Amino acid sequence: MKKFTSVEDIGPLDKAVEEALEIKRNRFAWTDLGKNKTLLMLFFNSSLRTRLSTQKAAMNLGMNVMVLDVNQGAWKLETERGVIMDGDKAEHLLEAIPVMGSYCDIIGVRSFAGLVNKKADYEELVLNQFINYSGRPVFSMEAATRHPLQSFADLITIEEYKKKEKPKVVLSWAPHPKPLPQAVANSFAEWMAKTDYEFVITHPEGYELAPEFVGNATVEYDQHKAFMNADFIYAKNWSAFKDPNYGKVLSTDRSWTIDRSKMNLTDGAFFMHCLPVRRNMIVSDEVIESEKSIVIPEAANREISAQTVLKRLLESL
């Protein structure tokens, strides 16, 4: 594996999950694989789980790790071609990227959508510049349109907790006071499409995701109907995708908040969320603190998804 930016890079999901669970049983079985190899983690945006889990995964494999907060610990970087650099950005990515690549063996990049220019966001300009110019294997630690490390961890978690071979999994929009990217929702939908689960997406009208991510999923605008007999409820907010409202908050309708009454419609479903979560906006205290909430094991599996990806990237060097 030379890069990891989407589900298409991971290969057969059954093999990927099998490998991940093997790693989870013995995290330190491959420490020689990363000996004298260096991971560079670049954060254009803030992080908690991604930073800690990926660094821990690299350490499990014996790697050296360097972490750079681009907007705090480096020159401000220009990302656009053709710009006259007479402002506050002192260096261009096209020079910075190959320099970074000369210091490491693998690069992880975290760069969110700007939610202003849909074309630029969905072309993944920042991530693709690293892939094209670093000379190193690159993996996404969340990009403008996808968060594949999270989705891989979500899949691992569902496989661990499912009680039937083909569970019903529901991705539910929930309200949030600020506009958020579609990346987690896009990515989760894309990964679910590669399984044989029954997959349903539910959201208010106007919050439709890009068709290439929805795929063959059932889209249900009635949240109560979508929750009926579900085995997993995955809550997430995202801003509007369709023009002319791209990146906007169209609704903060609290009737979409996931509470006990909605979870009672399910078949004893487990509750999932990528975290951080705004309590009593996305989900009620009662639900996230219940025995059916698996947000902590889900977050813990971020270490496992990252280690599986790094192991495959190291094996390709």
Side-chain angles (χ1 to χ4, degrees):
M1 190 165 70
K2 297 295 185 181
K3 67 178 179 68
F4 179 70
T5 64
S6 79
V7 69
E8 299 299 332
D9 297 315
I10 202 70
L13 291 189
D14 57 342
K15 299 296 184 184
V17 171
E18 182 181 344
E19 184 175 354
L21 294 177
E22 181 184 5
I23 287 169
K24 190 170 184 176
R25 288 189 290 269
N26 188 357
R27 290 168 169 81
F28 305 105
W30 295 271
T31 53
D32 288 342
L33 191 60
K35 185 178 181 181
N36 297 327
K37 297 292 190 299
T38 298
L39 168 65
L40 173 59
M41 299 167 58
L42 292 160
F43 291 90
F44 289 82
N45 299 94
S46 59
S47 174
L48 188 154
R49 276 149 295 278
T50 299
R51 180 187 294 253
L52 296 178
S53 62
T54 307
Q55 187 166 356
K56 177 63 164 60
M59 293 164 65
N60 293 349
L61 291 166
M63 299 187 76
N64 303 310
V65 182
M66 298 188 296
V67 181
L68 179 63
D69 291 298
V70 175
N71 293 322
Q72 296 179 16
W75 302 111
K76 288 187 177 181
L77 297 176
E78 179 58 64
T79 61
E80 299 290 335
R81 286 180 175 273
V83 173
I84 297 173
M85 292 176 58
D86 59 355
D88 63 345
K89 295 177 180 177
E91 187 164 6
H92 201 287
L93 267 184
L94 292 177
E95 285 77 60
I97 289 171
V99 169
M100 295 176 194
S102 71
Y103 301 146
C104 64
D105 300 282
I106 296 173
I107 298 176
V109 180
R110 184 175 178 90
S111 179
F112 292 174
L115 296 180
V116 175
N117 185 330
K118 181 165 73 173
K119 183 175 183 292
D121 286 344
Y122 275 70
E123 287 178 353
E124 295 286 8
L125 296 180
V126 173
L127 180 63
N128 282 326
Q129 286 188 74
F130 277 92
I131 292 170
N132 293 333
Y133 300 117
S134 69
R136 302 297 181 195
V138 172
F139 67 97
S140 170
M141 299 191 299
E142 187 173 354
T145 61
R146 296 175 174 91
H147 194 352
L149 286 176
Q150 179 65 55
S151 302
F152 189 12
D154 297 335
L155 175 65
I156 295 166
T157 306
I158 291 172
E159 284 295 302
E160 288 182 310
Y161 280 85
K162 71 180 186 181
K163 296 178 180 179
K164 61 182 70 166
E165 189 61 29
K166 297 180 181 181
K168 179 180 178 181
V169 179
V170 178
L171 169 63
S172 178
W173 181 92
H176 193 283
K178 296 181 179 181
L180 298 183
Q182 300 94 33
V184 171
N186 284 346
S187 194
F188 185 73
E190 189 173 54
W191 283 68
M192 292 299 100
K194 294 289 186 180
T195 71
D196 59 359
Y197 306 158
E198 179 184 354
F199 181 52
V200 178
I201 304 173
T202 184
H203 55 73
E205 291 191 21
Y207 280 100
E208 292 78 9
L209 297 169
E212 61 265 33
F213 294 107
V214 174
N216 294 323
T218 299
V219 177
E220 175 55 66
Y221 295 101
D222 183 333
Q223 188 187 37
H224 290 79
K225 184 177 178 181
F227 276 40
M228 293 295 295
N229 301 314
D231 300 293
F232 293 88
I233 299 297
Y234 196 106
K236 186 69 182 82
N237 174 267
W238 60 88
S239 59
F241 167 75
K242 288 185 175 181
D243 293 326
N245 295 315
Y246 178 70
K248 294 181 179 179
V249 174
L250 304 181
S251 170
T252 56
D253 183 357
R254 291 280 301 280
S255 72
W256 281 78
T257 299
I258 296 169
D259 58 18
R260 172 58 64 190
S261 66
K262 291 175 186 172
M263 293 300 289
N264 285 342
L265 299 171
T266 72
D267 189 14
F270 292 101
F271 175 79
M272 302 178 70
H273 188 278
C274 61
L275 301 181
V277 65
R278 294 195 180 227
R279 285 177 175 231
N280 303 307
M281 283 290 293
I282 300 287
V283 59
S284 69
D285 290 332
E286 186 180 17
V287 170
I288 198 168
E289 293 176 10
S290 75
E291 62 180 13
K292 288 292 187 175
S293 172
I294 54 174
V295 296
I296 303 304
E298 180 185 0
N301 276 333
R302 289 294 308 279
E303 176 187 345
I304 306 307
S305 64
Q307 187 167 341
T308 307
V309 168
L310 284 170
K311 175 177 175 287
R312 290 190 175 191
L313 293 172
L314 285 167
E315 289 169 342
S316 74
L317 293 178

